[in-house]
Amino acid sequence: MSVLLQSLKTRLARLADDIGRRLRQSFFLYLAAVFTVIAIVDASTANYFGGMRQSTFDTMLRLRVNVPKPDPDIVIVDIDEKTLSAMSADYGRWPWPRQVLAEFLQNVEAQQPKAVVFDVLFSDPDIQNPDSDAYFNEAVAGTTNSYFPMLRLPEEHDALSQLPAARVPGAIKGEGAVADARLAMIIPPFTAMQQAGRLGTHSVYPDSDGVVRTYPVRTDAQGWLIPSLPYVVAKAVGKGENAPDKLLLNWRGKPFTYTYVSFSDVYLDMLKEKRARPADEFKGKTLIIGSTAAGLLDVRGTPLDRQFPGVEILATAIDNLQQGDWLRAPEAKLFYLALALLIIWGTAFAFWRHGASNKLDKFYGLSQFALLGFSYATVNMGNVYINLT
């Protein structure tokens, strides 16, 4: 077998030498023509190298030196494993009666937070505890700065829905919108939540490799624009109006970068006659109530970690919109294609004129590092990412 392989290698080497003698310097021009076809097809339809571009982008973010700091005024109130254990004796397994969340909301509102954002979907009424639901609705109605998620279901379910798009809270009729469109969505059954400006979608959609890199700000549904939860939170304080329909998230670091407090620590302290926590702990803060408990399975893959808490993805989107520093990555396909063709033909012409040499090899190799270095510099120096990979 080894003799056969050696013979095959020898023949291939001779064939390559023969082709090289016949083509001589023109070989580089033919090679450039092949790469030109590949570059044009990739840029137009095939996207052969999309995975490579994404993985390079992820690597640059992980190795970034100048990482933006998380907003210290964003606090995640975490329904973690500790909370589930501490609350189970009195309130049972999750989900608890909504009276618990009502009491939390009323107590925390007394501290005058900027916003209270629930990363918890209230999809159905609690038929076992109607009084608890009524109390929760009353507590929500007593606030002007509490926000809640609604869920956009896959569009193939729209044909089965009886919900008119015009009745979706916050939906904006765009140009060419289907006037009598029906949308498959889960809207919380609480009337106080259905007021305009309180509801937004909180779904994220990973790329084909399962990694979340973007956050939908507005979702197009048959021409109707459905606002996201981060958008309605930012809009309430006059931010995010100029945001694109999809954000390229500017991550603040590894998981648990934001300030976290356990829900049980805060809630159980609220029930005490003499509280240990500061009375103005959350004054001016944006609170996000969500969960990192493993049993509740709210994790996603991101460029920085394959087990990233969903509540912190929401926090990052809110932070990006309020700071206006989401990543800008110009598409500019024609520019990138032109630059690729310039490099291909410039290199081919140099080899054609001067032949292969160590100087050209080194120059070409260094040019690739320079392109990567430029991309890396852009993602460190600001919030614009020029993708020259």
Side-chain angles (χ1 to χ4, degrees):
M1 189 66 178
S2 60
V3 175
L4 181 62
L5 288 175
Q6 185 61 42
S7 175
L8 182 60
K9 288 181 181 179
T10 302
R11 291 184 181 183
L12 288 175
R14 289 174 180 172
L15 177 62
D17 288 342
D18 185 54
I19 292 174
R21 282 194 299 271
R22 291 175 184 274
L23 296 180
R24 297 183 181 179
Q25 250 67 334
S26 299
F27 167 76
F28 299 110
L29 301 181
Y30 291 121
L31 190 61
V34 171
F35 277 109
T36 297
V37 172
I38 292 174
I40 292 174
V41 172
D42 178 66
S44 58
T45 56
N47 197 26
Y48 290 124
F49 305 111
M52 182 183 72
R53 285 189 285 268
Q54 289 176 339
S55 61
T56 306
F57 170 70
D58 294 351
T59 300
M60 288 185 177
L61 285 185
R62 286 194 296 272
L63 299 178
R64 187 162 52 163
V65 175
N66 186 23
V67 181
K69 302 296 183 184
D71 185 347
D73 287 336
I74 292 179
V75 178
I76 295 174
V77 183
D78 190 8
I79 302 172
D80 51 11
E81 295 290 352
K82 172 185 175 181
T83 292
L84 295 180
S85 176
M87 301 284 285
S88 62
D90 293 325
Y91 303 103
R93 299 176 61 184
W94 175 266
W96 313 307
R98 285 156 184 167
Q99 175 185 346
V100 173
L101 299 177
E103 290 174 345
F104 175 86
L105 180 60
Q106 289 180 325
N107 277 276
V108 84
E109 278 292 332
Q111 298 187 29
Q112 299 179 339
K114 180 193 293 185
V116 181
V117 185
F118 284 82
D119 188 26
V120 177
L121 181 65
F122 301 99
S123 56
D124 300 292
D126 186 350
I127 59 175
Q128 302 296 327
N129 298 283
D131 291 341
S132 180
D133 272 12
Y135 180 21
F136 188 31
N137 187 71
E138 181 182 338
V140 173
T143 71
T144 59
N145 62 344
S146 57
Y147 304 90
F148 305 87
M150 56 184 175
L151 182 64
R152 170 66 171 139
L153 298 173
E155 61 182 21
E156 55 265 27
H157 298 313
D158 286 351
L160 304 174
S161 177
Q162 298 299 312
L163 176 65
R167 289 182 53 193
V168 174
I172 299 173
K173 187 178 182 180
E175 292 184 12
V178 179
D180 59 349
R182 309 280 179 173
L183 302 182
M185 298 191 64
I186 296 177
I187 309 292
F190 298 91
T191 56
M193 294 181 191
Q194 294 172 13
Q195 298 174 14
R198 285 193 185 272
L199 288 173
T201 60
H202 69 156
S203 301
V204 291
Y205 303 96
D207 293 330
S208 58
D209 58 356
V211 176
V212 173
R213 298 181 179 87
T214 60
Y215 203 104
V217 176
R218 307 169 198 86
T219 301
D220 188 314
Q222 299 186 53
W224 293 79
L225 295 178
I226 312 299
S228 69
L229 189 55
Y231 178 66
V232 298
V233 173
K235 186 179 178 182
V237 293
K239 304 290 186 178
E241 290 282 4
N242 63 333
D245 289 338
K246 183 185 290 187
L247 291 185
L248 182 59
L249 290 170
N250 194 359
W251 303 96
R252 298 335 196 195
K254 289 282 189 179
F256 302 100
T257 299
Y258 286 89
T259 301
Y260 277 77
V261 294
S262 289
F263 182 94
S264 59
D265 288 348
V266 177
Y267 176 72
L268 296 177
D269 187 70
M270 289 175 173
L271 302 182
K272 295 177 182 178
E273 184 176 343
K274 187 175 181 180
R275 299 181 180 181
R277 303 181 74 92
D280 60 348
E281 181 178 6
F282 302 120
K283 184 178 176 64
K285 306 288 188 182
T286 295
L287 303 186
I288 305 176
I289 297 95
S291 175
T292 64
L296 300 184
L297 301 175
D298 187 18
V299 293
R300 301 287 188 275
T302 72
L304 300 188
D305 197 285
R306 291 303 184 260
Q307 296 289 317
F308 207 97
V311 65
E312 196 161 344
I313 297 176
L314 175 65
T316 303
I318 293 173
D319 200 353
N320 281 194
L321 285 170
Q322 290 186 341
Q323 302 300 325
D325 67 348
W326 59 86
L327 288 175
R328 279 80 166 173
E331 290 291 333
K333 286 187 176 182
L334 290 178
F335 169 76
Y336 292 134
L337 176 61
L339 181 59
L341 295 181
L342 178 64
I343 293 171
I344 289 170
W345 284 99
T347 305
F349 184 75
F351 278 114
W352 178 70
R353 285 292 303 272
H354 304 290
S357 69
N358 287 335
K359 287 185 178 180
L360 279 176
D361 286 347
K362 290 178 181 178
F363 177 79
Y364 180 76
L366 289 174
S367 72
Q368 306 310 296
F369 282 107
L371 291 170
L372 289 172
F374 181 84
S375 295
Y376 180 69
T378 63
V379 85
N380 276 277
M381 294 171 61
N383 57 351
V384 176
Y385 173 63
I386 306 298
N387 186 2
L388 299 183
T389 56

